[in-house]
Amino acid sequence: MDEMEEELKCPVCGSFFREPIILPCSHNICLACARNILVQTPDAESPQSSRASGSGVSDYDYLDLDKMSLYSEADSGYGSYGGFISTPTTPCQKSPNGVRVFPPSVPQPPAQHLLPQPSSLPPIPRNSCITCPQCHRSLILDERGLRGFPKNRVLEGVVDRYQQSKAAALKCQLCEKSPKEATVMCEQCDVFYCDPCRLRCHPPRGPLAKHRLVPPAQGRISRRTSPRKISTCTEHELENLSMYCVQCKMPVCYQCLEEGKHGTHEVKALGAMWKLHKGQLSQALNGLSDRATEAKEFLVQLRNMVQHIQENGVEFEACLVAQCDALIDALNRRKAQLLSRVNKEHEHKLKVVRDQISHCTVKLRQTTGLMEYCLEVIKENDPSGFLQISDALIRRVSMTEGQWGKGTLTPRMTSDFDLTLDNGPLLQTIHQLDFVQMKVPAAPMLQLEECCTQNNSATLSWKQPPLSTIAVDGYILELDDGNMGPFREVYVGTETICTVDGLHFNSTYKSRVKAFNASGVGQYSKTLIMQTSEIAWFTFDPASAHPDIVLSNDNLTVSCNSYDDRVVMGNSAFSRGVHYWEMSVDRYDNHPDPAFGIARADVLKDVMLGKDDKAWAMYVDNNRSWFMHNNSHTNRTDGGIGKGATIGILLDFSRGILIFLINDEQQGPVAFEGLEGVYYPAISLNRNVQITLHTGLPIPDFYSPGDADPADSVC
């Protein structure tokens, strides 16, 4: 219960809540404290006229003037609700206790006159302003004043039960430092006073002379036996709260519904929503309770680590002293340096773990306090009072549970000392004696959320285990051949992320990584299996294209500025499987003869495709086509192309063949056979042609791939 005490104290006075009210931001404040921090804004002009006139300082100027945020009605999200209107009309100042207030335009009464019975206080001035002491949202009250804010009867009941559970003597509620024992209680003010505070704040004259003062014990009993007030509507004080508006998230009465304030809103029975929100809060508390249990176990683990670190540190220090004593004549100067390093490591580990213990203890205390407070709230039998605070509590519980996320309950430091003293060097090397790293690195951890494949490329990412302190000089990444073959090294270096290009399409690769340092090579990580794209998606490659080539449409459409033929290739290479892509003719003028096909990476770019021995192509005009490789023209076939024609290219590595199609019909026989190695899609054209590339297409229905093993091809 002690851990819940902070939940029951007012952020302004620091004492237990007395007549708490709920601000629209879901924070609570004592009614008397709310009156204390009320200030009156200048009523020469309204917020709307001030904003419209433009004669004053803008909202953003106020931010620069006093470094605080004053929200307009649109910014705050509250609007006109429950007795206030948000406004940024006047810059505010910060009081010594941290509460932001507006400069008052009228003199404030002395402090001793601020806490009498509410009924005896003067009416709240027009345009009075209140600032939440926790979130600093500034609000202007309407004609109802503080009566427009609902009272938090649930919190008041929890405070009463908590105070009644304390066996210690009742303390004065107005003493600022070291509260004295209370001598009387005012039944009207509901405040416990010591003699000095009673004389100063509750003099027996004026309206206060009619108040009844009783002994503290009798006051406690009267508090306990006082009947619970019936919940009434803040808008219609004679009406009981009986319904709940789901959109506004507030209890309402029948008169509110009859007036049409919630006519289009979903309204449910108060009792049903009370049970629903209690269930939601209980469910949220179950998750938070699990986090608290884990935190307690984690604290036990951390405390055990402190003992292990101390034991290991003592053992390590004794071993170091014994080794230094064996070489005492030559190691006296060096011994002090080594001991200093061990002690620093020792203290560093202890400091890290103790800091984590302290941090986790504070967080657990806050979590436990919130849990106990919520459990007390659940015990309340006031549905409307409970629903006034349930949403805020549910959010707090969820947010607190989220703070116990991954990594929070993981030790930040290991209890092992990873330094080993090597006492084998000869005396002539005594001045080079130092700690040496005798352990190889631990196996790296693949970060699966960052590992991915795209087309025929694979990206892998890894890191060292979080508690590993062993030095790492570099990493070795290995992949197999995509066909269950042996692993091979594809990267050696210090980076922890690597992209491997040029893999086979529609292939499954196994990958693994290991770390190394001066002591050797560590263990492999877990093996990761990655699948490359089944169908090739690619574009034309501007980096390898001839300078006269013009690309557009995200590098899918190609044209040329020259009357001579120029070559451009795709940005993906093929060496295994069956692949099919098409090219459509967007423009065809003066009967040119573009060439379509495949090429090696070092093909000539300033001649027609197929003129050298690095390309295999079909060139075609408006009447006929030819196959060409190494400037050898073969298989003249009738049938040409025009605007709107489609040329298909089918590359089958299982048979090692290349086939061409025009408008979905095969053009001539198999164009080329015996194809092995790595090939890029390619095309040559001049300025009379414009072509658009289409990829990711299925194999044509007429074609059945051969029975040859795709693994027979070599990458």
Side-chain angles (χ1 to χ4, degrees), residues 311-341:
E311 294 174 354
N312 292 343
V314 172
E315 181 181 353
F316 191 83
E317 185 175 335
C319 179
L320 177 61
V321 171
Q323 292 179 354
C324 290
D325 287 342
L327 304 172
I328 193 64
D329 292 336
L331 298 178
N332 277 335
R333 292 186 300 271
R334 192 66 175 168
K335 180 174 67 174
Q337 300 175 8
L338 297 175
L339 282 174
S340 176
R341 289 186 58 184

Side-chain angles (χ1 to χ4, degrees), residues 420-683:
T420 302
L421 184 66
D422 183 4
N423 60 353
L426 300 175
L427 291 179
Q428 60 266 29
T429 61
I430 192 66
H431 293 292
Q432 285 75 40
L433 182 64
D434 198 354
F435 291 110
V436 295
Q437 185 61 265
M438 297 297 293
K439 295 183 179 180
V440 298
M445 299 172 56
L446 288 169
Q447 302 191 82
L448 301 182
E449 65 277 6
E450 298 183 14
C451 297
C452 62
T453 59
Q454 184 176 10
N455 239 3
N456 63 334
S457 298
T459 298
L460 296 102
S461 178
W462 60 89
K463 64 180 180 179
Q464 282 299 105
L467 297 182
S468 177
T469 58
I470 303 174
V472 175
D473 294 338
Y475 301 92
I476 301 174
L477 175 63
E478 297 181 357
L479 268 71
D480 68 355
D481 62 354
N483 194 38
M484 305 301 291
F487 283 92
R488 54 181 178 172
E489 294 182 3
V490 296
Y491 171 76
V492 178
T494 59
E495 299 295 333
T496 58
I497 187 170
C498 178
T499 298
V500 183
D501 298 319
L503 302 177
H504 299 298
F505 284 93
N506 194 24
S507 298
T508 301
Y509 286 88
K510 294 181 179 179
S511 59
R512 62 188 184 183
V513 63
K514 58 184 177 181
F516 63 87
N517 60 13
S519 298
V521 180
Q523 296 293 320
Y524 284 107
S525 66
K526 294 182 179 180
T527 300
L528 177 64
I529 299 177
M530 309 182 76
Q531 175 73 36
T532 55
S533 177
E534 181 177 356
I535 299 177
W537 297 85
F538 60 91
T539 65
F540 291 118
D541 183 14
S544 63
H546 190 278
D548 292 335
I549 291 294
V550 179
L551 296 175
S552 59
N553 187 26
D554 294 330
N555 296 331
L556 291 174
T557 300
V558 58
S559 59
C560 183
N561 289 330
S562 173
Y563 285 105
D564 297 323
D565 290 303
R566 299 292 185 250
V567 173
V568 60
M569 297 190 300
N571 61 0
S572 293
F574 305 129
S575 59
R576 177 186 296 177
V578 182
H579 306 280
Y580 178 73
W581 64 97
E582 292 180 348
M583 298 186 187
S584 59
V585 181
D586 302 331
R587 179 170 52 83
Y588 188 81
D589 303 326
N590 302 323
H591 310 302
D593 47 2
F596 309 86
I598 58 176
R600 303 287 192 186
D602 54 349
V603 65
L604 295 177
K605 306 294 176 55
D606 55 357
V607 296
M608 178 182 286
L609 194 67
K611 287 284 188 179
D612 61 0
D613 61 348
K614 306 297 183 182
W616 293 256
M618 175 189 74
Y619 70 94
V620 58
D621 59 18
N622 62 319
N623 291 318
R624 61 191 68 84
S625 65
W626 293 264
F627 302 146
M628 183 167 62
H629 169 65
N630 198 17
N631 204 26
S632 174
H633 306 254
T634 60
N635 296 101
R636 170 179 169 175
T637 305
D638 292 334
I641 62 173
K643 181 179 179 181
T646 300
I647 298 89
I649 300 95
L650 194 154
L651 176 61
D652 184 355
F653 283 100
S654 64
R655 294 179 178 176
I657 62 174
L658 182 65
I659 297 175
F660 294 97
L661 295 85
I662 295 180
N663 296 328
D664 298 327
E665 297 291 337
Q666 183 172 337
Q667 184 74 357
V670 173
F672 302 100
E673 298 179 340
L675 298 176
E676 293 183 350
V678 180
Y679 301 92
Y680 291 85
I683 180 178

Side-chain angles (χ1 to χ4, degrees), residues 686-701:
N686 60 22
R687 66 182 305 163
N688 293 315
V689 185
Q690 178 174 299
I691 301 295
T692 295
L693 174 66
H694 305 278
T695 63
L697 304 177
I699 305 301
D701 295 336

